[in-house]
Amino acid sequence: MPAKSEEIRNRKQRERQQKLRDADRKARRPGRDDVARTVLFMTMSSMAARGRMNALARFQDVVVSMLVRQGFDEHASRNVFDELVEKYRDRAWPFRRKPHLLFPDGADRDG
């Protein structure tokens, strides 16, 4: 019997989470990851554009250290960080548009 109640509880939790995601989408509310990606882009691209490579290196050390404490490989973490710096260096906006937010009724005016 406990398995059934766990199944019901999990189903209800999925339904609650879906309602929250739907409400956030309708309200065009960014999630934690949306904010984090934007902050990281602004931080990295700004440091690189200003030639603040020492500050960027110190920032990398802190970020990589935190990733290693979570269990990630240090070398792989440094590589990923370096790839992001290279991608963000020119300050071109690297993120895709969110047409479902811009045009919630489905009418993408650009396409």
Side-chain angles (χ1 to χ4, degrees), residues 87-105:
K87 181 178 181 179
Y88 296 168
R89 181 181 304 277
D90 66 3
R91 294 186 62 99
W93 189 249
F95 307 112
R96 292 180 286 172
R97 289 181 334 126
K98 307 276 187 181
H100 66 283
L101 298 174
L102 297 171
F103 309 104
D105 60 359

Side-chain angles (χ1 to χ4, degrees), residues 62-80:
V62 171
V63 170
V64 168
S65 173
M66 294 173 80
L67 290 168
V68 169
R69 280 188 293 199
Q70 293 177 58
F72 292 102
D73 178 74
E74 181 175 358
H75 181 71
S77 298
R78 287 191 182 283
N79 285 343
V80 170

Side-chain angles (χ1 to χ4, degrees), residues 15-82:
E15 290 170 0
R16 280 192 306 273
Q17 288 172 340
Q18 186 61 52
K19 285 180 184 178
L20 286 171
R21 284 191 299 272
D22 291 346
D24 284 349
R25 190 174 301 117
K26 184 176 181 179
R28 296 171 40 181
R29 181 180 187 273
R32 176 193 66 214
D33 291 345
D34 299 306
V35 173
R37 273 190 299 273
T38 303
V39 168
L40 185 61
F41 166 73
M42 292 303 301
T43 301
M44 289 178 159
S45 63
S46 176
M47 286 179 180
R50 291 186 176 127
R52 299 190 62 215
M53 301 315 286
N54 288 338
L56 189 55
R58 286 192 306 273
F59 183 60
Q60 179 182 32
D61 290 341
V62 171
V63 170
V64 168
S65 173
M66 294 173 80
L67 290 168
V68 169
R69 280 188 293 199
Q70 293 177 58
F72 292 102
D73 178 74
E74 181 175 358
H75 181 71
S77 298
R78 287 191 182 283
N79 285 343
V80 170
F81 190 97
D82 289 340

